[in-house]
Amino acid sequence: MVAAGSIWGGAAFERIAAGASASHDALVKALRLGPGARVLDVATGTGPLAVRAAEHGAVVTGVDIAPALLERARSAAAEASLSIEFRIGDAERLPFEASSFDVVASAQGAVFAADREAVGRELARVCRPGGALGLTCPIASGFPFELARVLASFRAGARDAWLGPFGWGDPEEVRRLLGRDFELDFEELAAPFCVSTPGEGWQVYRDSFGPLDAVLESIGSVGSAELRARVIELLRRYVTPDGVVAPRPLLLVIGRRPS
């Protein structure tokens, strides 16, 4: 957990998360949060979902494996004059008692944990009977999926780590993981990655996506130059008169746990 926390915390991930702000809003709206609802934001990152939930009057706890991301989440909450508890924790082993929360949510966070079955069990365990679940998950299409396939080609044996999160974008897989505990509904959301130029898009990911930095460190200068060229070529496919508009489809998952 420490190594993963260091990888994710080593970059300004909020720059990428900001581009998915509409999906965070859609998730909070779908959950119909009310004042006093006890909400757990799993793999909160820099806290954009936690902040939105607290703005609706919820009592929010955010948990993440990356201390550096949690520090930035605390700063974001303070800037918004919101009281949110942020704690270190792993989505595969959440540090909370059973049935502790009315709502359990994660915005493209818990999907990156290696053990999907463990994550599914933990999401259900900490959600009370009659409670709600909300997730946004990456779908296996669009720019992030293409990027993941490129990154997997540069790291022998790392294909599952890069492509595994996209399994959560398949409703049948989500039903397998969570359908025993939740009544599930699905909706597809659009959260395009927008930048001025392909070169800027590369730089945003280079500066903001910690796992990419780990790949670059492992492949040397020649490999890094090749990777940069391939990512820029991907982004060139999505150049429009208004700049780069790269598709980033997400699956919105809303679950209700029977009482």
Side-chain angles (χ1 to χ4, degrees):
M1 186 174 81
V2 174
S6 298
I7 288 171
W8 281 101
F13 186 68
E14 57 268 32
R15 292 186 64 191
I16 294 176
S21 60
S23 67
H24 299 146
D25 294 334
L27 178 52
V28 169
K29 181 179 179 181
L31 287 169
R32 301 176 183 174
L33 298 179
R38 298 168 298 163
V39 176
L40 177 64
D41 181 13
V42 180
T44 187
T46 56
L49 181 62
V51 166
R52 284 167 172 76
E55 287 173 339
H56 281 71
V59 179
V60 183
T61 301
V63 62
D64 203 279
I65 60 173
L69 294 183
L70 289 176
E71 284 305 310
R72 296 202 280 278
R74 291 185 183 103
S75 295
E79 289 174 8
S81 299
L82 295 169
S83 177
I84 302 173
E85 179 185 8
F86 290 104
R87 294 177 56 176
I88 292 287
D90 190 332
E92 297 174 5
R93 295 176 294 277
L94 292 170
F96 306 102
E97 298 293 329
S99 302
S100 293
F101 297 94
D102 303 311
V103 177
V104 179
S106 183
Q108 302 178 74
V111 298
F112 286 97
D115 189 339
R116 287 185 206 163
E117 283 73 15
V119 171
R121 289 193 299 270
E122 286 294 275
L123 294 175
R125 183 183 66 81
V126 300
C127 183
R128 68 165 175 81
L133 169 78
L135 308 172
T136 52
C137 310
I139 292 174
S141 64
F143 171 67
F145 183 62
E146 294 167 342
L147 174 62
R149 290 197 297 183
V150 169
L151 292 173
S153 73
F154 278 81
R155 290 289 295 271
R159 182 177 178 84
D160 288 346
W162 284 109
L163 300 181
F166 295 91
W168 286 92
D170 178 357
E172 289 307 310
E173 176 67 354
V174 177
R175 288 190 183 97
R176 183 183 75 83
L177 295 166
L178 297 168
R180 287 167 298 186
D181 297 296
F182 295 94
E183 299 169 353
L184 299 167
D185 291 304
F186 304 96
E187 179 184 344
E188 187 168 329
L189 302 175
F193 175 61
C194 301
V195 288
S196 297
T197 66
E200 181 189 349
W202 161 259
Q203 198 61 46
V204 167
Y205 268 84
R206 175 69 181 84
D207 294 342
S208 308
F209 193 54
L212 173 57
D213 196 49
V215 173
L216 293 171
E217 289 180 1
S218 73
I219 61 178
S221 59
V222 174
S224 295
E226 180 184 351
L227 176 55
R228 179 182 183 276
R230 289 181 63 180
V231 173
I232 287 177
E233 185 59 33
L234 283 179
L235 289 166
R236 285 198 180 109
R237 301 177 188 177
Y238 304 115
V239 172
T240 75
D242 297 318
V244 176
V245 182
R248 182 169 47 179
L250 299 172
L251 183 69
L252 173 66
V253 180
I254 298 297
R256 303 293 170 182
R257 187 157 196 194
S259 299

